[in-house]
Amino acid sequence: MSSQDTTSDTGFFGHPKGLQTLFLTEMWERMSYYGMRAMLVLFMTATLQQEGLGFTVASAAAIYGLYTGSVYFLGLPGGWIADRLLGGQRAVWYGGIIIMCGHIILAIPSQFSFFVGLIFVASGTGLLKPNISAMVGQLYNDEDNRRDSGYAIYYMGINLGSVIGYAVCGYFMENVGWHWAFGAAAVGMAIGLVNYRLTDKHIATVGNAPTNPMTGSQSTKAWGAIAIVITAVAAITAAAFIGVFVINPVELAKYVAIAFTVTFFLYYGYIYFGGNLDADEKRRMWALFLVCVASTCFWSGFEQAGSSLNLFARDYTDRLVGNFSIPTAWFQSANAFFIIVLSPFFAALWINLAKRMITPTYSVKCAIGLIIMASGFIVMFFASQYAAQGLQVAPMWLITTYFLHTVGELCLSPVALSAVSKLSPKRFAGQMMGVFVLTYSIGNIFSGLLAGSFDPNNIEDLPNLYLQIALFTIGIGVFVGVLGLKTKHWEKQSEKPLTEQTA
């Protein structure tokens, strides 16, 4: 579906009214997603007497990594379903309904319903998330210079939603009950769906049909294949629950991490060796590969927020302020708060550096972000030493860590996305974005495996865990940064006109 002419539509802060529809829908979806995600490891590791699941930290962290990694991975088939079968509008609508059902299932106090709920939420998010983001861009003409500003506003909605989710679900979790908190996430998604349906007239022509629809017989076969996959997942889940076989989440996470990594290399290699690329395109692919390495390592550290850092906040942080105990999940809202505050600064930073003829390569920028994020674990190294002595540490240790992680994110995440769009061979741009998303999945699963090394019964080992993460990540950052100095010439090749690049 081509972008519609909306240059005269300025009904939402100078932007098309459709942005309001997508902004609020995404805000409430993120409220439900982040609010629920903040509780996962805490709920799984809580004892049965605390109405939790009583899992070990290793199992809980592995499940957390599998879940968050699957959310990103399922965005690939989610985008395909919208492009070939449903169209963006219906994909977002049905995805939201599936997410809401997943949260409702999570609110049922049962171990079986917990895993079924996770599958629903992951599947619905994979259907909704990539398509609602794509629809934001479709609100604007190719010549409409409001597009970047529109995405900035949309990104603000994501962070507002996460703050609301952490606040609401975090409060319910510690003051009412786990399943009430999961129910609150369902209510958040329901509000988003109501907003979407009541205001969908503003996006009437955006994503209302598949961009590359299948024919009748092809469509029937595709829906049949989807039905087979759904049936297989349901059968495997039921069989595992009734004890036909036992799934070890740690081992499963290892195999999935290997599978995702192999998929990444195979697809990347297929485009590099079989894509009929010229010499310049191959050099840019090498430059982009460094960005992918940095992205994978970054998210494997950054996503400790929902696992090991979350447990540290619960067990080893002094959360009392007077007579009020700060809910554990509230600490994670620091990331969203810092993003809202710091985003304008970083948007201006690269522009002002460019005016002074200082233009680091994509790889160098990503390396800087990686090293800054790693410095947060050096902070946690010192904090965990106090915890190992049996002390409750001040909240500012975690807040400082989240600040450094956010600065690292703002250095790396938008730059990496820009690198994919600029360095990918133009005829493979969409596929390369899909391949790049695999770095999120791989990083999240590795994050869960790393967090599994956090043994609450051996707190004295925690400083070494954080130090190892810091040193390894800094090492990768230095490696990427040094090689990135060589790629500066390669990346400049992408600034040539397209006709010259492909001549």
Side-chain angles (χ1 to χ4, degrees):
M1 184 72 185
S2 60
S3 300
Q4 60 178 338
D5 185 6
T6 58
T7 53
S8 61
D9 185 353
T10 58
F12 183 63
F13 296 106
H15 290 265
K17 291 181 180 179
L19 183 60
Q20 178 184 14
T21 299
L22 302 178
F23 174 95
L24 291 175
T25 303
E26 177 70 345
M27 184 185 80
W28 287 109
E29 185 275 330
R30 291 290 90 181
M31 175 269 171
S32 70
Y33 175 77
Y34 282 110
M36 181 274 291
R37 196 188 72 163
M39 300 183 291
L40 285 182
V41 170
L42 302 177
F43 174 64
M44 285 187 282
T45 56
T47 64
L48 297 177
Q49 290 76 17
Q50 296 170 322
E51 299 183 352
L53 297 181
F55 290 174
T56 64
V57 170
S59 294
I63 293 168
Y64 175 85
L66 285 167
Y67 167 72
T68 54
S70 297
V71 164
Y72 290 110
F73 181 78
L74 290 172
L76 301 178
W80 183 87
I81 288 171
D83 288 343
R84 305 304 304 274
L85 298 171
L86 290 177
Q89 281 192 32
R90 286 191 293 171
V92 169
W93 173 248
Y94 293 133
I97 291 174
I98 294 170
I99 291 169
M100 183 182 68
C101 291
H103 290 307
I104 292 172
I105 294 170
L106 284 169
I108 301 171
S110 163
Q111 187 178 121
F112 178 69
S113 64
F114 173 77
F115 289 107
V116 173
L118 286 186
I119 293 171
F120 267 69
V121 175
S123 302
T125 305
L127 194 57
L128 180 146
K129 192 70 175 72
N131 296 305
I132 194 171
S133 299
M135 288 169 65
V136 172
Q138 294 170 7
L139 291 170
Y140 303 92
N141 286 327
D142 292 339
E143 296 78 19
D144 195 332
N145 58 15
R146 298 176 297 169
R147 183 191 303 268
D148 289 349
S149 174
Y151 269 108
I153 294 173
Y154 172 75
Y155 195 62
M156 190 72 70
I158 292 174
N159 289 285
L160 286 174
S162 67
V163 170
I164 296 170
Y166 293 136
V168 173
C169 295
Y171 178 82
F172 272 79
M173 176 186 73
E174 298 201 9
N175 295 279
V176 184
W178 296 106
H179 299 287
W180 286 94
F182 288 127
V187 172
M189 189 66 254
I191 294 173
L193 287 169
V194 170
N195 163 76
Y196 186 75
R197 183 55 71 204
L198 291 179
T199 62
D200 61 0
K201 61 181 179 293
H202 300 314
I203 55 169
T205 60
V206 177
N208 60 338
T211 56
N212 185 22
M214 285 185 158
T215 61
S217 60
Q218 290 177 323
S219 177
T220 301
K221 291 178 181 178
W223 282 117
I226 292 171
I228 291 172
V229 171
I230 293 173
T231 302
V233 171
I236 292 171
T237 304
F241 181 73
I242 63 178
V244 175
F245 56 85
V246 177
I247 295 178
N248 183 323
V250 177
E251 292 301 315
L252 177 61
K254 291 177 181 178
Y255 287 122
V256 172
I258 293 171
F260 283 0
T261 303
V262 170
T263 301
F264 170 85
F265 277 106
L266 288 176
Y267 214 119
Y268 208 95
Y270 166 74
I271 293 175
Y272 183 88
F273 294 106
N276 195 28
L277 307 185
D278 61 30
D280 282 346
E281 288 174 327
K282 286 187 174 181
R283 282 193 288 267
R284 291 195 297 275
M285 286 284 283
W286 276 110
L288 182 56
F289 181 76
L290 292 178
V291 174
C292 291
V293 170
S295 176
T296 301
C297 294
F298 178 87
W299 295 113
S300 66
F302 183 89
E303 285 296 333
Q304 296 295 314
S307 49
S308 70
L309 295 179
N310 211 4
L311 293 170
F312 191 92
R314 183 189 68 183
D315 298 333
Y316 305 111
T317 301
D318 182 6
R319 297 185 284 118
L320 280 177
V321 179
N323 294 323
F324 177 72
S325 178
I326 303 172
T328 304
W330 285 16
F331 284 93
Q332 292 187 59
S333 65
N335 172 249
F337 173 78
F338 287 135
I339 283 179
I340 293 171
V341 172
L342 296 176
S343 288
F345 169 78
F346 276 88
L349 174 63
W350 304 123
I351 295 174
N352 289 325
L353 286 176
K355 290 179 180 177
R356 291 169 173 77
M357 307 301 291
I358 302 174
T359 54
T361 65
Y362 289 122
S363 300
V364 169
K365 290 178 181 178
C366 289
I368 292 171
L370 200 56
I371 292 170
I372 293 173
M373 186 275 293
S375 67
F377 287 106
I378 295 178
V379 173
M380 290 307 301
F381 166 72
F382 291 107
S384 58
Q385 286 185 321
Y386 289 114
Q389 298 171 22
L391 302 174
Q392 293 280 297
V393 304
M396 288 309 299
W397 290 97
L398 273 175
I399 297 300
T400 302
T401 297
Y402 284 133
F403 172 79
L404 292 170
H405 283 194
T406 303
V407 173
E409 179 185 4
L410 290 170
C411 286
L412 181 141
S413 185
V415 167
L417 291 171
S418 177
V420 177
S421 65
K422 292 291 182 65
L423 300 179
S424 299
K426 301 304 178 185
R427 57 194 179 280
F428 294 110
Q431 294 177 66
M432 284 305 300
M433 184 61 76
V435 173
F436 178 74
V437 169
L438 282 174
T439 66
Y440 298 165
S441 297
I442 297 167
N444 274 267
I445 294 177
F446 277 121
S447 173
L449 292 172
L450 282 172
S453 301
F454 176 17
D455 185 354
N457 297 318
N458 295 293
I459 183 63
E460 63 275 4
D461 294 338
L462 188 57
N464 285 332
L465 170 64
Y466 285 137
L467 184 61
Q468 288 171 12
I469 294 175
L471 293 178
F472 175 79
T473 309
I474 289 172
I476 295 295
V478 171
F479 173 77
V480 170
V482 170
L483 288 183
L485 296 175
K486 179 177 176 58
T487 68
K488 187 169 186 177
H489 175 68
W490 300 349
E491 292 181 6
K492 281 189 173 182
Q493 298 297 317
S494 66
E495 298 173 0
K496 297 189 299 184
L498 181 60
T499 54
E500 184 179 349
Q501 292 178 31
T502 57

